[in-house]
Amino acid sequence: MKVSHSLISIISLVLVIPFSNAYDPSPLQDFCVAVGNLNNGVFVNGKFCKDPKQAKADDFFYSGLNKAGSTNNNVKSNVTTVNVDQIPGLNTMGISLVRIDYAPYGQNPPHTHPRATEILVLVEGTLYVGFVSSNQDNNRLFAKILHPGDVFVFPIGMIHFQVNIGKTPAVAFAGLSSQNAGVITIANTVFGSKPPIYPEVLAQAFQLDVNIVKDLEAKFASKN
């Protein structure tokens, strides 16, 4: 079967356009340090930019990731976030960083980042980590046990988790492909919404007794 040159050109154009639209244009300046108000600023997606001539080294600096976060909580973990709120110079850069501390058998419970892919490297301890693909991919679980130096990637939007399966504390660092990745913790979001979702809705969705849902909503409402 012969394909005309014009049809080949159309097919090529259709294939190229999605890839060309998938990336942001190249930056037109060195940086766009975030400021919190409109005074002498230019608005961009997320933050205003200060005059570049007023930028200083501290706009690109953060200190403290050498310190462990408190894991004295229900999930026995702590996420220390370093995004555009901590480093204004990250504005428009499309990256951020977190340190995650896990007590023995602590976990970073199932959650998703709506605006970022995450790449995690384990520094200390042993973690069981994984993510679940979408309904279209039959909700497959991709999971591994990580040891120090191991790296795992959680694709953007996928529900994922990490659990310390060791008897000693664990520490991991993760990079995210957004200056403000956002986080949606599944249990907190579903059972701790304000106002609460009707218990009957969640009972049917999760195939639970409605009284169990009411207990869960009361528990998570008290945490928020």
Side-chain angles (χ1 to χ4, degrees):
M1 175 180 174
K2 294 184 179 180
V3 181
S4 68
H5 290 295
S6 59
L7 181 56
I8 293 175
S9 299
I10 292 172
I11 293 172
S12 300
L13 183 61
V14 169
L15 291 174
V16 167
I17 287 175
F19 288 102
S20 64
N21 290 339
Y23 299 94
D24 291 333
S26 298
L28 301 179
Q29 58 197 52
D30 290 342
F31 42 77
C32 179
V33 175
V35 292
N37 56 56
L38 290 170
N39 296 330
N40 300 318
V42 178
F43 181 75
V44 294
N45 183 23
K47 297 287 184 179
F48 295 93
C49 303
K50 70 161 62 174
D51 185 338
K53 295 179 181 177
Q54 297 178 6
K56 54 187 184 299
D58 282 345
D59 292 327
F60 304 91
F61 174 78
Y62 176 87
S63 180
L65 282 189
N66 59 316
K67 300 176 182 177
S70 174
T71 56
N72 185 23
N73 52 56
N74 291 326
V75 295
K76 299 182 180 179
S77 72
N78 186 89
V79 179
T80 303
T81 301
V82 183
N83 62 21
V84 68
D85 293 328
Q86 287 74 42
I87 302 181
L90 284 178
N91 197 33
T92 75
M93 299 293 182
I95 57 171
S96 57
L97 180 71
V98 298
R99 169 181 172 142
I100 314 172
D101 292 282
Y102 314 81
Y105 309 113
Q107 64 172 269
N108 191 9
H111 63 282
T112 178
H113 301 293
R115 296 182 290 276
T117 291
E118 176 181 349
I119 182 167
L120 179 144
V121 57
L122 182 61
V123 177
E124 297 178 13
T126 307
L127 293 182
Y128 172 63
V129 308
F131 69 87
V132 180
S133 66
S134 64
N135 295 2
Q136 289 77 12
D137 192 49
N138 296 316
N139 304 120
R140 290 191 295 155
L141 172 65
F142 296 78
K144 292 283 288 185
I145 293 176
L146 304 186
H147 302 282
D150 289 344
V151 176
F152 199 81
V153 173
F154 306 104
I156 185 171
M158 299 293 99
I159 293 175
H160 58 283
F161 62 88
Q162 304 107 34
V163 183
N164 182 1
I165 59 175
K167 297 180 180 180
T168 60
V171 181
F173 290 86
L176 299 118
S177 61
S178 171
Q179 68 183 44
N180 187 10
V183 61
I184 300 171
T185 306
I186 307 305
N188 297 67
T189 302
V190 172
F191 297 108
S193 67
K194 301 182 186 66
I197 300 171
Y198 290 138
E200 293 78 10
V201 173
L202 297 181
Q204 182 175 1
F206 286 91
Q207 298 294 288
L208 295 173
D209 184 272
V210 70
N211 291 316
I212 294 176
V213 173
K214 290 178 180 179
D215 289 341
L216 287 169
E217 289 191 323
K219 181 180 294 185
F220 280 94
S222 65
K223 295 178 182 178
N224 294 336

